[in-house]
Amino acid sequence: MATITRRSVDVVIVGGGWAGSIMAKELTEAGQRVVMLERGGERSTAADGAYPGSLDELEGNYRFKIFQKLQKTTVTIRNNISQTALPYRQLAAFLPGEGVGGAGLHWSGVHLRIAPDDLTLRSTVISKYGKSFIPEGMNLQDYGVTYAELEPFFDKAEKVFGTSGEAYTVNGKVVGNGNVFAPDRSDHFPLPPLKDVTGAHLFRKAAAEAGYHPYAIPAANASRQYTNPYGAQMGPCNFCGYCSGYACYMYSKASPNVNILPVLRRNKLFEIRPNSTVLHVTLDSTKTRATGVTYLDEKGNEVIQSAELVILAAFQFNNVHLMLVSGIGKPYDPVAGTGVVGRNFVYQNISTTTAWLDPSVWTSQFIGTGGGGVAFDDFNSENFDHGPLGFIGGSPVWVNQAGVKAIAAAKAGGPPGTPRWGSAWKSGMIDTYKHAVRMDAHGSNMAYRDVFLDLDPTWKDAFGRPLLRMTFDWKDNDIRMNRYVVGKIAAVTKAMGARQTHLGMKEFGQPFDTRFYQTTHLGGGAVMGSDPATSALNRYLQCWDVSNVFVIGSNAFPQGTGYNPTGMVAALAYWSAHHIRTTYLKNPGPLVPA
């Protein structure tokens, strides 16, 4: 195939999901000519969310219609450095998106603001419990940015997303029945909270009786018709249950395809090129400045795209992979403890508890919305005393009923002890579907010296590049946290009047298993911070070593939190874009001295 050189632009953005779309909107507003390169194909709600064909559980959740295809590139995975990593060949443990909209097209819609203490976790833990409280080998560190600095950008993202929720305090005044542990806000949510489904209603009542503080989960699923600040329109959620894993046919779930891209596509400064696989960022002879990117177009041509500014805004591990194969930043060495790219890889620690209620109580699990539900945060972040417990981290607990469909109901089966076949299995499955409530402990995951990302020495992708290698396993700290929080759910199921409960606790010594879904909330690997020795990016998500490269995504998280990452990713994207617009474009160079 031919090698093609395209006309230079001001900005090239890699990735067409939330982060890339936000950056493109902000930078075109600043008068920059922007090209967005998306590895996957064109996607739209009108096509991918067309009713009724899009409501297909087999196609959506089991054939992974709008998820990444692993034939050309994937990651390799091992639990520790003594093992040989093998390729992740079937989607199971995590489900990255692919195509215009990225994971923002198939996400659920849970839209939370990070707890202020999580942004300064190392400093907070040392202040409360002393430095010796941090376990040996745990790479705990601060983000380098405060909640007060990010608050305007959380607010902006919520207005763009059309987030439904209820505040507890606004400008220091109690205004509603929101999360009592949530940080103060400058404004209300743009939309009122979604209605509680039956399971969430029962959970709210029982959690309050148990002494906890339930609240409506903020959700980027519109509770009523909404027009965002860009002029993009959303319809009200009808609780159809086809949300997570699907393009919303009601235009009720926020996505780049609904909330940003329709406006961007009308801007002459913006161009999107689907089916464009970026191979690497090109650097000049000094290796301190990017000159653009090299990618393969849909015809297999190698294309050189020059740009003054390069934004990596792909999925978490794709951003890290591009940095490594491009020679940006020093690769992390877990033995020496040096280097930063690949350091502090984190995941999320989730387990599900099921309560079976009296047969007279029907929980209508087919009804659901991706982001809606009820949670309590009494054991999340630093909302409780960790001192006597000996672990760091926490977890919200929630009922987040996204709609149980036929195949998922059959796989769930019945209460513990139910046979796996025959009439008793059928009865148990029906019992679970009609009368059960599921509750998740959606916990944090700390970073460790021997949990990291690097380039695999053996396996390569279809383009000849080394695959990204993931070395990951659960650690005792995170298992202890999970078991403590899940244990607290027992009081809730008792208050519900459950006739039977299965507490979904993680077990010590049980390794991370790629065959079973955990979450798609991967983080770290190219983290932000104030020290170039422990972070790949500065507080504005700018590379320390190559100042005209910014890397936007959950890769910037120094450790995993108990919350879904999208709210934080969006706020960081707006934060970074603001400083590019107001400072960098006027005087290109490092925004923070190394």
Side-chain angles (χ1 to χ4, degrees):
M1 291 294 179
T3 298
I4 300 171
T5 300
R6 300 292 293 261
R7 184 182 67 169
S8 183
V9 296
D10 299 313
V11 184
V12 62
I13 296 175
V14 181
W18 276 120
S21 298
I22 289 170
M23 298 301 287
K25 183 69 174 71
E26 290 291 300
L27 294 175
T28 53
E29 285 182 2
Q32 299 292 290
R33 184 171 294 279
V34 175
V35 166
M36 175 186 284
L37 302 173
E38 166 55 44
R39 178 177 62 187
E42 185 64 80
R43 294 201 187 281
S44 70
T45 299
D48 293 285
Y51 181 85
S54 63
L55 306 189
D56 185 333
E57 183 188 10
L58 180 62
E59 192 75 11
N61 288 123
Y62 295 94
R63 292 178 177 162
F64 304 113
K65 176 182 176 182
I66 59 175
F67 296 88
Q68 181 183 340
K69 305 300 183 285
L70 303 180
Q71 292 92 333
K72 292 184 178 180
T73 186
T74 182
V75 296
T76 64
I77 303 175
R78 60 183 181 174
N79 293 128
N80 57 68
I81 59 175
S82 68
Q83 295 177 344
T84 299
L86 295 174
Y88 181 59
R89 296 186 184 275
Q90 290 184 310
L91 291 175
F94 47 87
L95 309 172
E98 188 169 80
V100 174
L105 187 61
H106 74 68
W107 75 311
S108 64
V110 174
H111 192 189
L112 294 152
R113 298 186 177 194
I114 194 171
D117 284 338
D118 283 340
L119 291 169
T120 57
L121 191 57
R122 179 178 174 84
S123 298
T124 300
V125 167
I126 291 173
S127 173
K128 283 186 172 183
Y129 313 115
K131 191 174 182 179
S132 62
F133 194 77
I134 302 172
E136 180 70 26
M138 182 184 287
N139 286 345
L140 205 62
Q141 60 194 74
D142 297 345
Y143 277 71
V145 63
T146 67
Y147 174 78
E149 291 174 305
L150 290 179
E151 199 284 333
F153 306 101
F154 280 115
D155 180 71
K156 183 172 185 174
E158 288 167 355
K159 288 179 168 64
V160 170
F161 283 45
T163 302
S164 303
E166 184 172 16
Y168 179 63
T169 63
V170 173
N171 294 320
K173 181 180 178 181
V174 176
V175 296
N177 296 315
N179 182 7
V180 300
F181 298 103
D184 193 34
R185 307 167 53 87
S186 60
D187 200 358
H188 292 267
F189 286 96
L191 291 173
L194 292 159
K195 301 295 184 182
D196 291 352
V197 297
T198 299
H201 170 75
L202 297 170
F203 178 80
R204 182 190 293 273
K205 182 175 181 293
E209 289 179 8
Y212 306 143
H213 300 82
Y215 65 92
I217 301 173
N221 312 106
S223 58
R224 62 174 64 156
Q225 185 177 348
Y226 180 70
T227 301
N228 78 3
Y230 300 150
Q233 296 181 327
M234 302 176 72
C237 176
N238 70 352
F239 290 77
C240 74
Y242 285 84
C243 200
S244 183
Y246 301 84
C248 177
Y249 74 93
M250 288 291 292
Y251 292 77
S252 308
K253 180 178 70 174
S255 69
N257 313 67
V258 169
N259 298 64
I260 302 177
L261 288 170
V263 181
L264 260 177
R265 291 178 189 274
R266 296 200 297 264
N267 191 323
K268 293 181 180 179
L269 293 175
F270 175 73
E271 179 187 356
I272 184 168
R273 299 177 193 161
N275 300 304
S276 298
T277 300
V278 175
L279 300 177
H280 59 264
V281 178
T282 53
L283 304 177
D284 68 8
S285 59
T286 70
K287 306 299 182 184
T288 61
R289 183 180 180 278
T291 60
V293 301
T294 299
Y295 71 94
L296 295 180
D297 67 14
E298 60 185 333
K299 295 180 180 179
N301 296 310
E302 184 174 275
V303 182
I304 298 170
Q305 178 61 67
S306 299
E308 294 298 314
L309 184 60
V310 176
I311 308 288
L312 301 185
F315 187 67
Q316 173 269 337
F317 58 59
N318 294 325
N319 281 345
V320 178
H321 188 227
L322 278 171
M323 291 181 73
L324 288 170
V325 298
S326 304
I328 299 173
K330 184 178 181 180
Y332 175 63
D333 179 347
V335 178
T338 58
V340 290
V341 182
R343 187 179 190 270
N344 280 42
F345 170 62
V346 292
Y347 200 10
Q348 197 149 46
N349 186 341
I350 187 171
S351 58
T352 300
T353 289
T354 305
W356 285 265
L357 307 181
D358 188 87
S360 65
V361 180
W362 293 67
T363 53
S364 303
Q365 293 184 69
F366 63 91
I367 299 170
T369 179
V374 173
F376 61 81
D377 267 24
D378 298 67
F379 307 104
N380 190 30
S381 186
E382 286 295 313
N383 300 338
F384 60 109
D385 185 7
H386 292 69
L389 304 173
F391 62 77
I392 296 170
S395 174
V397 176
W398 58 42
V399 169
N400 172 221
Q401 185 171 303
V404 178
K405 293 165 275 294
I407 301 172
K411 290 181 69 176
T418 301
R420 298 186 65 181
W421 59 279
S423 58
W425 170 79
K426 292 179 183 177
S427 297
M429 176 191 69
I430 294 169
D431 183 21
T432 299
Y433 187 70
K434 289 180 176 179
H435 308 299
V437 176
R438 292 179 174 87
M439 292 148 274
D440 294 325
H442 195 270
S444 59
N445 173 230
M446 297 298 107
Y448 301 91
R449 178 170 178 157
D450 59 352
V451 174
F452 62 98
L453 302 172
D454 65 352
L455 295 178
D456 195 286
T458 303
W459 296 93
K460 298 184 184 299
D461 65 17
F463 315 108
R465 303 175 301 175
L467 291 180
L468 188 71
R469 180 171 61 178
M470 179 189 301
T471 303
F472 177 82
D473 208 352
W474 306 117
K475 301 290 187 177
D476 283 0
N477 175 88
D478 303 308
I479 296 173
R480 287 203 306 275
M481 180 278 295
N482 170 267
R483 294 178 69 83
Y484 175 78
V485 176
V486 172
K488 298 296 183 181
I489 300 175
V492 179
T493 63
K494 181 179 179 181
M496 276 186 177
R499 55 186 159 93
Q500 191 169 355
T501 298
H502 173 69
L503 294 173
M505 291 184 178
K506 290 201 179 299
E507 298 293 335
F508 290 103
Q510 183 177 358
F512 168 61
D513 191 330
T514 62
R515 296 173 299 169
F516 304 106
Y517 185 71
Q518 185 67 25
T519 72
T520 307
H521 305 155
L522 294 85
V527 309
M528 62 190 294
S530 56
D531 183 356
T534 58
S535 58
L537 314 174
N538 65 26
R539 68 196 303 263
Y540 304 110
L541 284 77
Q542 180 185 36
C543 289
W544 289 108
D545 298 332
V546 185
S547 64
N548 67 331
V549 174
F550 288 74
V551 187
I552 317 296
S554 62
N555 56 268
F557 297 5
Q559 49 267 330
T561 75
Y563 283 160
N564 303 52
T566 307
M568 182 61 174
V569 169
L572 286 176
Y574 279 117
W575 155 263
S576 179
H578 170 78
H579 289 283
I580 292 172
R581 292 179 64 172
T582 59
T583 304
Y584 179 87
L585 293 179
K586 296 175 182 178
N587 184 24
L591 295 176
V592 178

